Coordinates of all heavy atoms in Angstrom, one line a residue:
M224 N -14.5 37.6 -8.2 CA -15.2 36.7 -9.1 C -14.1 36.0 -10.0 O -13.4 36.7 -10.8 CB -16.2 37.5 -9.9 CG -16.9 36.7 -11.0 SD -18.1 37.6 -12.0 CE -18.8 38.7 -10.8
P225 N -14.0 34.7 -9.9 CA -12.9 34.0 -10.6 C -13.2 33.8 -12.1 O -12.3 33.5 -12.9 CB -12.8 32.7 -9.9 CG -14.1 32.5 -9.3 CD -14.7 33.8 -9.0
E226 N -14.4 34.0 -12.5 CA -14.8 33.8 -13.9 C -16.0 34.6 -14.3 O -16.9 34.7 -13.5 CB -15.0 32.3 -14.0 CG -15.6 31.8 -15.3 CD -15.8 30.3 -15.3 OE1 -16.8 29.8 -14.7 OE2 -15.0 29.6 -15.9
Y227 N -16.1 35.0 -15.5 CA -17.3 35.6 -16.0 C -17.5 35.4 -17.5 O -16.5 35.1 -18.2 CB -17.5 37.1 -15.6 CG -16.6 38.1 -16.4 CD1 -17.0 38.7 -17.5 CD2 -15.3 38.4 -15.9 CE1 -16.2 39.6 -18.2 CE2 -14.5 39.3 -16.5 CZ -15.0 39.9 -17.7 OH -14.2 40.8 -18.4
W228 N -18.7 35.4 -17.9 CA -19.1 35.1 -19.3 C -19.8 36.3 -19.9 O -20.7 36.9 -19.2 CB -19.9 33.9 -19.4 CG -19.4 32.6 -18.8 CD1 -18.3 32.4 -18.2 CD2 -20.1 31.4 -18.8 NE1 -18.2 31.1 -17.8 CE2 -19.3 30.5 -18.2 CE3 -21.3 30.9 -19.4 CZ2 -19.6 29.1 -18.0 CZ3 -21.7 29.6 -19.2 CH2 -20.8 28.7 -18.5
L229 N -19.6 36.7 -21.1 CA -20.4 37.7 -21.8 C -21.0 37.0 -23.0 O -20.3 36.3 -23.8 CB -19.5 38.8 -22.3 CG -18.8 39.6 -21.2 CD1 -17.9 40.6 -21.8 CD2 -19.8 40.4 -20.3
T230 N -22.3 37.1 -23.1 CA -23.0 36.6 -24.3 C -23.7 37.7 -25.0 O -24.3 38.6 -24.4 CB -24.0 35.5 -23.9 OG1 -25.0 36.0 -23.0 CG2 -23.3 34.3 -23.2
D231 N -23.7 37.6 -26.3 CA -24.3 38.5 -27.2 C -25.3 37.8 -28.1 O -24.8 37.2 -29.1 CB -23.3 39.3 -28.0 CG -24.0 40.4 -28.9 OD1 -25.2 40.3 -29.1 OD2 -23.3 41.3 -29.3
P232 N -26.5 37.7 -27.8 CA -27.5 36.9 -28.6 C -27.7 37.4 -30.0 O -28.0 36.7 -30.9 CB -28.8 36.9 -27.7 CG -28.6 37.9 -26.8 CD -27.2 38.2 -26.6
E233 N -27.5 38.7 -30.1 CA -27.7 39.3 -31.5 C -26.6 38.9 -32.4 O -26.8 38.6 -33.6 CB -27.9 40.8 -31.4 CG -29.2 41.2 -30.7 CD -29.3 42.7 -30.6 OE1 -28.6 43.5 -31.3 OE2 -30.2 43.2 -29.9
Q234 N -25.4 38.9 -31.9 CA -24.2 38.6 -32.7 C -23.9 37.1 -32.7 O -22.9 36.7 -33.4 CB -23.0 39.4 -32.3 CG -23.2 40.9 -32.5 CD -23.3 41.3 -33.9 OE1 -22.6 40.8 -34.8 NE2 -24.1 42.2 -34.2
H235 N -24.6 36.4 -31.8 CA -24.3 34.9 -31.6 C -22.8 34.7 -31.2 O -22.1 33.9 -31.8 CB -24.6 34.1 -32.9 CG -26.1 34.1 -33.1 ND1 -26.6 33.2 -34.1 CD2 -27.1 34.8 -32.6 CE1 -27.9 33.4 -34.1 NE2 -28.3 34.3 -33.3
Q236 N -22.4 35.5 -30.2 CA -21.1 35.4 -29.7 C -21.1 35.2 -28.2 O -21.9 35.7 -27.5 CB -20.3 36.6 -30.1 CG -20.0 36.8 -31.5 CD -19.3 38.1 -31.8 OE1 -19.2 39.0 -31.0 NE2 -18.7 38.1 -33.1
A237 N -20.1 34.5 -27.7 CA -19.9 34.3 -26.3 C -18.4 34.5 -26.0 O -17.5 34.1 -26.8 CB -20.3 33.0 -25.8
A238 N -18.1 35.2 -24.9 CA -16.7 35.4 -24.5 C -16.6 35.0 -23.0 O -17.5 35.2 -22.2 CB -16.3 36.9 -24.7
F239 N -15.5 34.3 -22.7 CA -15.3 33.7 -21.4 C -14.0 34.3 -20.8 O -12.9 34.3 -21.5 CB -15.2 32.2 -21.5 CG -16.3 31.6 -22.2 CD1 -16.3 31.3 -23.5 CD2 -17.5 31.4 -21.5 CE1 -17.4 30.7 -24.2 CE2 -18.6 30.8 -22.1 CZ -18.5 30.5 -23.5
Y240 N -14.0 34.7 -19.6 CA -12.8 35.3 -18.9 C -12.6 34.6 -17.6 O -13.5 34.3 -16.8 CB -13.1 36.8 -18.7 CG -13.2 37.5 -20.0 CD1 -14.5 37.7 -20.6 CD2 -12.1 38.0 -20.7 CE1 -14.6 38.3 -21.8 CE2 -12.2 38.7 -21.9 CZ -13.5 38.8 -22.4 OH -13.6 39.5 -23.6
R241 N -11.3 34.4 -17.3 CA -10.9 33.9 -16.0 C -9.9 34.8 -15.3 O -9.0 35.4 -16.0 CB -10.3 32.5 -16.1 CG -11.2 31.4 -16.5 CD -10.6 30.1 -16.5 NE -11.5 29.1 -17.0 CZ -11.1 28.0 -17.5 NH1 -9.9 27.6 -17.6 NH2 -12.0 27.1 -18.0
L242 N -9.9 34.9 -14.0 CA -9.0 35.7 -13.3 C -7.7 35.0 -13.2 O -7.6 33.9 -12.8 CB -9.5 36.0 -11.9 CG -8.9 37.1 -11.0 CD1 -9.0 38.4 -11.8 CD2 -9.6 37.2 -9.7
G243 N -6.6 35.7 -13.7 CA -5.3 35.1 -13.8 C -4.5 35.3 -12.5 O -5.0 35.9 -11.6
D244 N -3.3 34.8 -12.5 CA -2.4 34.9 -11.4 C -2.1 36.3 -10.9 O -1.9 36.5 -9.7 CB -1.1 34.2 -11.7 CG -1.2 32.7 -11.9 OD1 -2.2 32.1 -11.4 OD2 -0.4 32.1 -12.6
Q245 N -2.1 37.2 -11.8 CA -1.8 38.6 -11.5 C -3.0 39.5 -11.3 O -3.0 40.7 -11.5 CB -0.8 39.2 -12.5 CG 0.5 38.5 -12.6 CD 1.4 39.1 -13.6 OE1 1.1 40.1 -14.2 NE2 2.6 38.5 -13.7
Q246 N -4.1 38.8 -11.0 CA -5.4 39.5 -10.8 C -5.9 40.2 -12.0 O -6.6 41.3 -11.8 CB -5.3 40.3 -9.5 CG -5.0 39.6 -8.3 CD -6.0 38.4 -8.0 OE1 -7.2 38.7 -7.8 NE2 -5.5 37.2 -7.9
H247 N -5.6 39.8 -13.2 CA -6.2 40.3 -14.4 C -7.0 39.2 -15.1 O -6.6 38.1 -15.1 CB -5.1 40.8 -15.3 CG -4.3 42.0 -14.8 ND1 -4.8 43.3 -14.8 CD2 -3.1 42.0 -14.2 CE1 -3.9 44.1 -14.3 NE2 -2.9 43.3 -13.8
Y248 N -8.1 39.6 -15.7 CA -8.9 38.7 -16.4 C -8.3 38.4 -17.8 O -7.8 39.3 -18.5 CB -10.3 39.2 -16.6 CG -11.1 39.1 -15.3 CD1 -11.3 40.2 -14.5 CD2 -11.7 37.9 -14.9 CE1 -12.0 40.1 -13.3 CE2 -12.4 37.8 -13.7 CZ -12.5 38.9 -13.0 OH -13.2 38.8 -11.8
Q249 N -8.3 37.1 -18.1 CA -7.7 36.7 -19.4 C -8.8 35.9 -20.2 O -9.5 35.1 -19.6 CB -6.5 35.7 -19.2 CG -5.4 36.4 -18.4 CD -4.3 35.4 -18.0 OE1 -4.4 34.2 -18.2 NE2 -3.2 36.0 -17.5
G250 N -8.9 36.2 -21.5 CA -9.9 35.6 -22.3 C -9.6 34.1 -22.4 O -8.4 33.7 -22.5
Q251 N -10.6 33.3 -22.5 CA -10.5 31.8 -22.6 C -11.3 31.4 -23.8 O -12.3 31.9 -24.2 CB -11.1 31.1 -21.4 CG -10.5 31.6 -20.1 CD -9.0 31.2 -19.9 OE1 -8.6 30.0 -20.2 NE2 -8.2 32.2 -19.6
L252 N -10.7 30.4 -24.5 CA -11.4 29.8 -25.7 C -11.9 28.4 -25.4 O -11.4 27.7 -24.6 CB -10.4 29.8 -26.8 CG -9.8 31.1 -27.3 CD1 -8.7 30.8 -28.3 CD2 -10.9 31.9 -27.9
P253 N -13.0 28.1 -26.1 CA -13.5 26.7 -26.0 C -12.4 25.8 -26.6 O -11.4 26.2 -27.3 CB -14.7 26.6 -26.9 CG -15.1 28.1 -27.0 CD -13.9 28.9 -26.9
D254 N -12.4 24.5 -26.2 CA -11.5 23.5 -26.7 C -11.7 23.2 -28.2 O -12.6 23.8 -28.8 CB -11.4 22.2 -25.8 CG -12.7 21.4 -25.9 OD1 -13.6 21.7 -26.8 OD2 -12.8 20.5 -25.1
Q255 N -10.9 22.2 -28.7 CA -11.0 21.9 -30.1 C -12.4 21.3 -30.5 O -12.8 21.4 -31.7 CB -9.9 20.9 -30.5 CG -8.6 21.5 -30.4 CD -7.5 20.5 -30.8 OE1 -7.7 19.3 -31.0 NE2 -6.2 21.0 -30.9
E256 N -13.1 20.8 -29.5 CA -14.5 20.3 -29.8 C -15.6 21.3 -29.6 O -16.7 21.0 -29.6 CB -14.7 19.0 -28.9 CG -13.8 17.9 -29.3 CD -13.9 16.7 -28.4 OE1 -15.0 16.6 -27.7 OE2 -13.0 15.8 -28.3
G257 N -15.2 22.5 -29.3 CA -16.1 23.6 -29.1 C -16.7 23.7 -27.7 O -17.7 24.3 -27.5
R258 N -16.1 23.0 -26.8 CA -16.6 23.0 -25.4 C -15.8 24.0 -24.5 O -14.6 24.1 -24.6 CB -16.4 21.7 -24.7 CG -17.2 20.6 -25.4 CD -16.8 19.2 -24.8 NE -17.5 18.2 -25.5 CZ -17.2 16.9 -25.3 NH1 -16.3 16.5 -24.4 NH2 -17.9 16.0 -25.9
Y259 N -16.6 24.8 -23.7 CA -16.0 25.6 -22.7 C -16.2 25.0 -21.4 O -17.3 24.7 -21.0 CB -16.6 27.1 -22.7 CG -16.0 27.9 -21.6 CD1 -14.7 28.3 -21.7 CD2 -16.7 28.1 -20.4 CE1 -14.1 29.0 -20.7 CE2 -16.1 28.8 -19.4 CZ -14.8 29.3 -19.5 OH -14.2 29.9 -18.5
Y260 N -15.1 24.8 -20.6 CA -15.1 24.2 -19.3 C -15.1 25.3 -18.2 O -14.1 26.0 -18.2 CB -14.0 23.2 -19.1 CG -14.2 21.9 -19.9 CD1 -13.8 21.9 -21.3 CD2 -14.8 20.8 -19.4 CE1 -14.0 20.7 -22.0 CE2 -15.0 19.7 -20.1 CZ -14.5 19.6 -21.5 OH -14.7 18.5 -22.2
S261 N -16.0 25.3 -17.4 CA -16.1 26.3 -16.3 C -15.0 26.0 -15.3 O -14.8 24.8 -14.9 CB -17.4 26.3 -15.6 OG -17.4 27.2 -14.5
Q262 N -14.4 27.0 -14.8 CA -13.4 26.9 -13.7 C -14.2 26.9 -12.3 O -13.8 26.3 -11.4 CB -12.4 28.0 -13.7 CG -11.4 28.0 -12.6 CD -10.4 29.1 -12.7 OE1 -10.3 29.8 -13.7 NE2 -9.6 29.3 -11.7
T263 N -15.3 27.7 -12.3 CA -16.0 27.9 -11.1 C -17.0 26.7 -10.8 O -17.1 26.4 -9.6 CB -16.8 29.2 -11.2 OG1 -15.9 30.3 -11.6 CG2 -17.5 29.5 -9.9
L264 N -17.6 26.2 -11.8 CA -18.6 25.1 -11.6 C -17.9 23.8 -12.0 O -17.8 23.4 -13.2 CB -19.8 25.3 -12.4 CG -20.6 26.6 -12.2 CD1 -21.7 26.8 -13.2 CD2 -21.2 26.5 -10.8
A265 N -17.3 23.1 -11.0 CA -16.5 21.9 -11.3 C -17.3 20.9 -12.1 O -18.5 20.6 -11.8 CB -16.1 21.3 -10.0
G266 N -16.7 20.4 -13.2 CA -17.3 19.4 -14.0 C -18.3 20.0 -15.1 O -18.8 19.3 -15.9
F267 N -18.6 21.3 -15.0 CA -19.6 21.9 -15.9 C -18.9 22.4 -17.2 O -17.9 23.0 -17.1 CB -20.4 23.0 -15.3 CG -21.4 23.6 -16.2 CD1 -22.6 23.0 -16.5 CD2 -21.1 24.8 -16.9 CE1 -23.5 23.5 -17.3 CE2 -22.0 25.3 -17.8 CZ -23.2 24.7 -18.0
W268 N -19.5 22.1 -18.3 CA -19.1 22.6 -19.6 C -20.3 22.8 -20.5 O -21.4 22.3 -20.2 CB -18.1 21.6 -20.3 CG -18.6 20.3 -20.6 CD1 -18.5 19.2 -19.7 CD2 -19.3 19.8 -21.7 NE1 -19.1 18.1 -20.3 CE2 -19.6 18.5 -21.6 CE3 -19.6 20.5 -22.9 CZ2 -20.2 17.7 -22.6 CZ3 -20.3 19.7 -23.9 CH2 -20.6 18.4 -23.7
L269 N -20.1 23.6 -21.5 CA -21.1 23.8 -22.5 C -20.5 24.1 -23.9 O -19.4 24.5 -23.9 CB -22.1 24.9 -22.1 CG -21.6 26.3 -22.2 CD1 -22.2 27.0 -23.4 CD2 -22.0 27.1 -21.0
K270 N -21.3 23.9 -24.9 CA -20.9 24.3 -26.2 C -21.6 25.6 -26.5 O -22.9 25.6 -26.6 CB -21.3 23.3 -27.3 CG -20.5 22.0 -27.2 CD -20.7 21.1 -28.4 CE -19.8 19.9 -28.3 NZ -19.9 19.1 -29.6
P271 N -20.9 26.7 -26.6 CA -21.6 28.0 -26.8 C -22.6 28.0 -28.0 O -23.6 28.7 -27.9 CB -20.4 29.0 -27.0 CG -19.3 28.3 -26.3 CD -19.5 26.9 -26.5
D272 N -22.3 27.2 -29.0 CA -23.3 27.3 -30.1 C -24.6 26.8 -29.7 O -25.6 27.0 -30.4 CB -22.7 26.5 -31.3 CG -22.6 25.0 -31.1 OD1 -22.3 24.6 -30.0 OD2 -22.9 24.3 -32.1
W273 N -24.7 26.0 -28.6 CA -26.1 25.6 -28.1 C -26.9 26.9 -27.8 O -28.2 26.8 -27.9 CB -26.0 24.8 -26.8 CG -25.4 23.4 -27.0 CD1 -25.3 22.7 -28.1 CD2 -24.9 22.6 -26.0 NE1 -24.7 21.5 -27.9 CE2 -24.5 21.4 -26.5 CE3 -24.7 22.8 -24.6 CZ2 -23.9 20.4 -25.8 CZ3 -24.2 21.8 -23.9 CH2 -23.8 20.6 -24.5
L274 N -26.3 27.9 -27.4 CA -27.1 29.1 -27.0 C -27.8 29.8 -28.2 O -28.7 30.6 -28.0 CB -26.1 30.2 -26.4 CG -25.3 29.7 -25.1 CD1 -24.3 30.7 -24.8 CD2 -26.3 29.4 -24.0
W275 N -27.3 29.5 -29.4 CA -27.9 30.2 -30.6 C -28.8 29.3 -31.4 O -29.3 29.8 -32.4 CB -26.8 30.8 -31.5 CG -25.6 31.2 -30.7 CD1 -24.3 30.8 -30.9 CD2 -25.5 32.1 -29.6 NE1 -23.5 31.5 -30.0 CE2 -24.2 32.3 -29.2 CE3 -26.5 32.9 -28.9 CZ2 -23.8 33.1 -28.1 CZ3 -26.1 33.7 -27.9 CH2 -24.8 33.8 -27.5
R276 N -29.0 28.1 -31.0 CA -29.8 27.2 -31.8 C -31.3 27.6 -31.7 O -31.7 28.1 -30.7 CB -29.6 25.7 -31.3 CG -28.3 25.2 -31.7 CD -28.2 23.7 -31.4 NE -26.9 23.2 -31.7 CZ -26.5 22.0 -31.3 NH1 -27.3 21.2 -30.7 NH2 -25.3 21.6 -31.6
S277 N -32.0 27.3 -32.8 CA -33.4 27.6 -32.8 C -34.1 26.3 -33.4 O -33.9 26.1 -34.6 CB -33.7 28.8 -33.6 OG -35.1 29.1 -33.6
P278 N -34.8 25.6 -32.7 CA -35.1 25.9 -31.2 C -33.9 25.5 -30.4 O -33.0 24.7 -30.8 CB -36.3 24.9 -31.0 CG -36.1 23.8 -31.9 CD -35.5 24.4 -33.2
L279 N -33.9 26.0 -29.2 CA -32.9 25.6 -28.2 C -32.9 24.1 -28.0 O -33.9 23.5 -28.1 CB -33.1 26.3 -26.9 CG -32.8 27.8 -26.9 CD1 -33.3 28.4 -25.6 CD2 -31.4 28.1 -27.2
P280 N -31.7 23.5 -27.7 CA -31.7 22.1 -27.4 C -32.5 21.8 -26.1 O -32.6 22.7 -25.2 CB -30.3 21.7 -27.2 CG -29.5 23.0 -27.1 CD -30.4 24.1 -27.6
R281 N -33.1 20.7 -26.0 CA -33.9 20.3 -24.8 C -33.0 20.2 -23.6 O -31.9 19.7 -23.7 CB -34.6 19.0 -25.1 CG -35.7 19.1 -26.2 CD -36.4 17.8 -26.5 NE -36.9 17.3 -25.2 CZ -37.5 16.1 -25.1 NH1 -37.6 15.4 -26.1 NH2 -37.9 15.7 -23.9
S282 N -33.5 20.7 -22.5 CA -32.6 20.7 -21.3 C -32.2 19.3 -20.9 O -31.1 19.1 -20.4 CB -33.4 21.4 -20.2 OG -34.6 20.8 -19.9
T283 N -33.1 18.3 -21.1 CA -32.8 17.0 -20.7 C -31.7 16.4 -21.6 O -30.8 15.7 -21.1 CB -34.0 16.0 -20.8 OG1 -34.6 16.2 -22.1 CG2 -35.0 16.4 -19.7
A284 N -31.7 16.8 -22.8 CA -30.6 16.3 -23.7 C -29.3 17.0 -23.4 O -28.2 16.3 -23.3 CB -30.9 16.7 -25.2
V285 N -29.3 18.2 -23.0 CA -28.1 18.9 -22.6 C -27.5 18.3 -21.3 O -26.4 18.0 -21.1 CB -28.3 20.4 -22.4 CG1 -27.1 21.1 -21.8 CG2 -28.6 21.1 -23.8
L286 N -28.4 18.1 -20.3 CA -28.0 17.5 -19.0 C -27.5 16.1 -19.2 O -26.5 15.7 -18.6 CB -29.2 17.5 -18.1 CG -29.6 18.8 -17.5 CD1 -30.9 18.7 -16.8 CD2 -28.5 19.4 -16.6
K287 N -28.0 15.4 -20.1 CA -27.5 14.0 -20.4 C -26.1 14.1 -21.0 O -25.3 13.3 -20.6 CB -28.5 13.3 -21.3 CG -28.1 11.8 -21.6 CD -29.2 11.2 -22.5 CE -28.8 9.8 -22.9 NZ -29.7 9.2 -23.8
T288 N -25.9 15.0 -21.9 CA -24.6 15.2 -22.5 C -23.6 15.7 -21.6 O -22.5 15.1 -21.5 CB -24.8 16.1 -23.7 OG1 -25.7 15.6 -24.6 CG2 -23.4 16.3 -24.4
V289 N -23.9 16.7 -20.8 CA -23.0 17.3 -19.9 C -22.8 16.5 -18.6 O -21.6 16.3 -18.2 CB -23.4 18.8 -19.5 CG1 -22.5 19.3 -18.4 CG2 -23.5 19.6 -20.7
G290 N -23.8 16.0 -18.1 CA -23.8 15.2 -16.8 C -23.3 13.8 -17.0 O -22.8 13.2 -16.0
G291 N -23.4 13.2 -18.1 CA -23.0 11.9 -18.4 C -23.5 10.9 -17.3 O -24.7 10.9 -17.0
Q292 N -22.6 10.1 -16.8 CA -23.0 9.0 -15.9 C -23.7 9.5 -14.6 O -24.6 9.0 -14.1 CB -21.8 8.1 -15.5 CG -22.1 7.0 -14.6 CD -23.1 6.0 -15.2 OE1 -23.2 5.8 -16.5 NE2 -23.9 5.3 -14.4
A293 N -23.2 10.7 -14.1 CA -23.8 11.3 -12.9 C -25.2 11.6 -13.1 O -26.1 11.4 -12.2 CB -23.0 12.5 -12.5
Y294 N -25.6 12.1 -14.3 CA -27.0 12.5 -14.6 C -27.8 11.2 -14.7 O -28.9 11.2 -14.2 CB -27.1 13.3 -15.8 CG -28.5 13.8 -16.1 CD1 -29.1 14.7 -15.2 CD2 -29.2 13.4 -17.2 CE1 -30.4 15.1 -15.4 CE2 -30.4 13.9 -17.5 CZ -31.1 14.7 -16.6 OH -32.3 15.2 -16.8
R295 N -27.3 10.2 -15.3 CA -28.0 8.9 -15.4 C -28.3 8.3 -14.0 O -29.4 7.8 -13.7 CB -27.2 7.9 -16.3 CG -27.3 8.3 -17.7 CD -26.8 7.2 -18.6 NE -25.5 7.2 -19.1 CZ -24.9 8.3 -19.8 NH1 -25.6 9.3 -20.1 NH2 -23.7 8.2 -20.3
V296 N -27.3 8.4 -13.1 CA -27.5 7.9 -11.7 C -28.6 8.7 -11.1 O -29.5 8.2 -10.4 CB -26.2 8.0 -10.9 CG1 -26.4 7.8 -9.5 CG2 -25.2 7.0 -11.5
Y297 N -28.6 10.0 -11.3 CA -29.6 10.9 -10.7 C -31.0 10.5 -11.2 O -31.9 10.4 -10.4 CB -29.3 12.4 -11.0 CG -30.5 13.3 -10.8 CD1 -30.8 13.7 -9.5 CD2 -31.2 13.7 -11.9 CE1 -31.9 14.5 -9.3 CE2 -32.3 14.6 -11.7 CZ -32.6 15.0 -10.4 OH -33.7 15.8 -10.2
L298 N -31.1 10.3 -12.5 CA -32.4 9.9 -13.1 C -32.9 8.6 -12.5 O -34.1 8.4 -12.2 CB -32.3 9.9 -14.6 CG -32.2 11.2 -15.3 CD1 -32.1 11.0 -16.8 CD2 -33.4 12.1 -15.0
D299 N -32.0 7.6 -12.4 CA -32.3 6.3 -11.9 C -32.9 6.5 -10.4 O -33.9 5.8 -10.1 CB -31.1 5.4 -11.9 CG -30.8 4.9 -13.3 OD1 -31.6 5.0 -14.2 OD2 -29.7 4.4 -13.4
R300 N -32.2 7.3 -9.6 CA -32.7 7.5 -8.3 C -34.0 8.2 -8.2 O -34.9 7.8 -7.4 CB -31.7 8.3 -7.5 CG -30.4 7.6 -7.1 CD -29.5 8.4 -6.3 NE -28.2 7.7 -6.1 CZ -27.1 8.3 -5.8 NH1 -27.0 9.6 -5.7 NH2 -26.0 7.5 -5.7
L301 N -34.2 9.1 -9.1 CA -35.5 9.8 -9.2 C -36.6 8.9 -9.6 O -37.7 8.9 -8.9 CB -35.4 11.0 -10.2 CG -36.5 11.9 -10.4 CD1 -36.7 12.7 -9.1 CD2 -36.3 12.9 -11.5
L302 N -36.4 8.0 -10.6 CA -37.4 7.1 -11.0 C -37.6 6.0 -9.9 O -38.8 5.6 -9.6 CB -36.9 6.3 -12.2 CG -36.9 7.2 -13.5 CD1 -36.3 6.5 -14.6 CD2 -38.4 7.6 -13.8
Q303 N -36.6 5.7 -9.2 CA -36.7 4.7 -8.1 C -37.6 5.3 -6.9 O -38.5 4.6 -6.4 CB -35.3 4.4 -7.5 CG -35.2 3.0 -6.9 CD -33.8 2.7 -6.6 OE1 -33.0 3.6 -6.2 NE2 -33.4 1.5 -6.8
N304 N -37.4 6.6 -6.6 CA -38.1 7.2 -5.6 C -39.6 7.4 -6.0 O -40.5 7.2 -5.2 CB -37.6 8.6 -5.3 CG -36.2 8.5 -4.5 OD1 -35.9 7.5 -3.9 ND2 -35.5 9.6 -4.6
Q305 N -39.9 7.6 -7.2 CA -41.2 7.7 -7.7 C -41.9 6.4 -7.7 O -43.1 6.3 -7.4 CB -41.3 8.3 -9.1 CG -41.0 9.8 -9.1 CD -41.0 10.4 -10.5 OE1 -41.1 9.7 -11.5 NE2 -40.9 11.7 -10.6
A306 N -41.2 5.3 -8.0 CA -41.8 4.0 -7.9 C -42.2 3.6 -6.5 O -43.1 2.8 -6.3 CB -40.8 3.0 -8.5
E307 N -41.5 4.1 -5.5 CA -41.7 3.8 -4.1 C -42.9 4.5 -3.6 O -43.4 4.1 -2.5 CB -40.5 4.1 -3.3 CG -39.3 3.2 -3.6 CD -38.0 3.6 -2.9 OE1 -38.1 4.6 -2.1 OE2 -37.0 2.9 -3.1
L308 N -43.5 5.5 -4.3 CA -44.6 6.2 -3.7 C -45.9 5.5 -3.9 O -46.3 4.7 -4.5 CB -44.7 7.6 -4.5 CG -43.6 8.5 -4.2 CD1 -43.9 9.8 -5.1 CD2 -43.6 9.0 -2.8

């Protein structure tokens, strides 16, 4: 497993680990903007503080933020297919 995440909802903490060159897991930190970029899921990132918000952010808002242009293209195709029905 090249990567794993530990989340503690009670403490509002998340820890991220990646398998290093010597087959040992090394802790990873979010970037300066608070984003953690997955090594396993190409292009996927999240802000761990999203996990502790109440209420949770809407999934469509997160997908729009994370997916950017690719998500907008997906939505356009989805709407186009529905219009053709």
Side-chain angles (χ1 to χ4, degrees):
M224 177 181 319
E226 172 180 76
Y227 71 93
W228 305 1
L229 296 174
T230 60
D231 184 341
E233 291 181 14
Q234 297 294 320
H235 293 190
Q236 295 178 341
F239 307 96
Y240 297 90
R241 289 185 187 157
L242 195 58
D244 295 335
Q245 296 182 4
Q246 300 302 302
H247 294 281
Y248 286 98
Q249 300 172 351
Q251 304 294 309
L252 296 173
D254 67 9
Q255 292 180 355
E256 295 178 18
R258 297 176 183 169
Y259 176 74
Y260 289 85
S261 173
Q262 178 180 349
T263 305
L264 301 169
F267 180 78
W268 61 269
L269 73 104
K270 289 188 174 188
D272 69 320
W273 289 343
L274 301 172
W275 325 127
R276 288 190 185 168
S277 182
L279 290 171
R281 295 179 51 184
S282 58
T283 53
V285 171
L286 288 169
K287 184 178 175 185
T288 302
V289 173
Q292 183 61 28
Y294 185 63
R295 286 192 261 304
V296 168
Y297 165 78
L298 288 177
D299 287 344
R300 288 182 186 157
L301 187 63
L302 290 171
Q303 207 171 39
N304 288 341
Q305 289 179 352
E307 293 173 0
L308 293 178

